[in-house]
Structures are given as structure tokens and as C-alpha cells.
Amino acid sequence: MIIRQIETGAMANFSYLVGCAATGEAAAIDPGFEIERLIAEAEASGLKITAIVATHGHPDHSAGCAALKRRTGAPIFIHAADASPHIPADRLFHGDDELRVGKILFRVIHTPGHTPGGICLYAEGNLFTGDTLFVGDSGRTDLPGGHRPTLAASIRRLMTLPDNTVVWPGHDYGPTASSTIGWEKRHNVNAKEYGYFVDPAGNPP
Ligand SMILES: [Zn+2]
Ligand SMILES: [Zn+2]
């Protein structure tokens, strides 16, 4: 699996290219800004964008979907609860789902709370978390459709993934550009409130 993390725009957004090493097909995750950079990065990496996925409907994660679809012909995927007129979606997710890109099989995990239709994508030990989970923090819940207990429940589900799962967030807000599920259990500022804190010294909760 080939992963390219590309920081774009003025809000420290991360877009991702996730490519199949065998077929060269790639998913573009969260194309908010600077679409031509994503296309150039795909070409430089020998990848062809065949799927466009927005982890949720906020414009900083989805504003580039339509332009990228025009340039690549790739279909757009988003959860139904975050569909909007500015995103010409080809397929809507309605809960947990799956998405195949080349030989990569993404598990689509419905993670509402930041928005009602937020999703995370999991494949081969890598988790793309949008604005659900950041390195050391988690998404806002004070915007329309946000709900803090719902987000907490969503993140608790993510915490059932193996500790060495790599977390790839939707913004560069943390001390590092990526982390792991195990690190978040010990260091995320919301870990205690959201009920997944694990003491670094190994003491029980
Ligand atoms: Zn957002
Ligand atoms: Zn965002």
C-alpha cells in the first residue's frame, strides 16, 4: 500500500492518496484544496486516482471533489448523512461499509459526532480519521450536527483496532503528522472523558 500525506490550504488540512502497489489504482481521501497538487503527486507516484472519498461534508475536506472528478473521471464516495449539493456523489454510504480500490479493501467505519455522516477508512493497519480523531485531540462537536457523546462513542469503536494501527488525521494539529491507536489511548486529551484512556504506567483505569 502506498500512502502519500499532502498538507494543503490555510487550515493545515491533510489530503491523502492511498494507492494499491499491485495495480496503481488509488483513492484520494479528503480533496479539499489544491487539486492540481494531488494530481501531480499521483502522477509522480505512478498512481491513477480511481476513487474520491470525503470523510465528511465540511468544505475543507470536500470542496475539491467535483473538480477532481472532472479531472480524473473517478467516482465520489461520501456518507449519505453528509451529502450536499456541492458534492456530486456517485455512491452514498449508509453505515459501516466497504470500498475496494485495486487490491486494497477499505473498511468504511461510520463515525458520527463531528458530523452525522463522518467516516473513517481502515485498511492494512492504517486508519484515515478525517476530523473524528486528530493526533492528541479529536474533532469539534460545536458545529451543526455535532454531538460530543456520539463522537466519544465513535472514537471508542476506533480504539478497538490494534494498538499499532497508524492514525492518519484530517488536519496537522498535533505534535506529529500521524500517530497510533496505542499512542492516542495514552496521550489524547479526550481519552479520559471519552472513556478509552490507558495509563502509560500500566495502571488499570
Ligand atoms: Zn470537519
Ligand atoms: Zn476539517
Side-chain angles (χ1 to χ4, degrees):
M1 199 161 93
I2 299 161
I3 298 174
R4 298 283 181 267
Q5 182 187 52
I6 302 150
E7 187 161 342
T8 66
M11 296 192 292
N13 275 87
F14 282 134
S15 296
Y16 293 92
L17 297 171
V18 184
C20 170
T23 70
E25 292 164 86
I29 299 175
D30 284 353
F33 310 110
E34 302 183 54
I35 295 316
E36 294 306 323
R37 266 184 71 205
L38 299 187
I39 292 169
E41 182 67 39
E43 284 172 0
S45 303
L47 299 173
K48 177 176 164 39
I49 296 170
T50 59
I52 300 165
V53 188
T55 58
H56 61 296
H58 286 160
D60 57 314
H61 299 259
S62 64
C65 283
L68 190 56
K69 179 177 173 176
R70 280 195 300 274
R71 291 280 273 109
T72 63
I76 297 173
F77 301 82
I78 189 169
H79 192 281
D82 274 25
S84 87
H86 79 268
I87 308 166
D90 296 274
R91 190 179 135 200
L92 299 174
F93 300 123
H94 293 276
D96 291 346
D97 211 316
E98 289 180 347
L99 174 65
R100 186 173 287 284
V101 177
K103 294 185 174 173
I104 302 170
L105 182 62
F106 288 100
R107 211 177 121 194
V108 177
I109 307 170
H110 183 207
T111 50
H114 173 66
T115 63
I119 58 167
C120 296
L121 293 149
Y122 176 80
E124 300 177 18
N126 292 280
L127 181 68
F128 301 87
T129 56
D131 284 358
T132 294
L133 181 66
F134 300 130
V135 173
D137 206 339
S138 55
R140 298 172 62 167
T141 53
D142 58 330
L143 299 169
H147 188 247
R148 202 165 177 86
T150 301
L151 184 65
S154 290
I155 296 176
R156 282 198 300 274
R157 281 189 70 206
L158 299 180
M159 292 300 147
T160 65
L161 291 166
D163 275 1
N164 62 359
T165 301
V166 180
V167 174
W168 298 100
H171 288 267
D172 188 10
Y173 286 165
T176 53
S178 64
S179 66
T180 63
I181 287 292
W183 190 90
E184 296 301 332
K185 286 176 182 172
R186 289 160 178 80
H187 301 289
N188 193 289
V189 296
N190 300 126
K192 280 200 179 76
E193 177 195 346
Y194 285 180
Y196 59 85
F197 177 69
V198 173
D199 191 299
N203 299 314

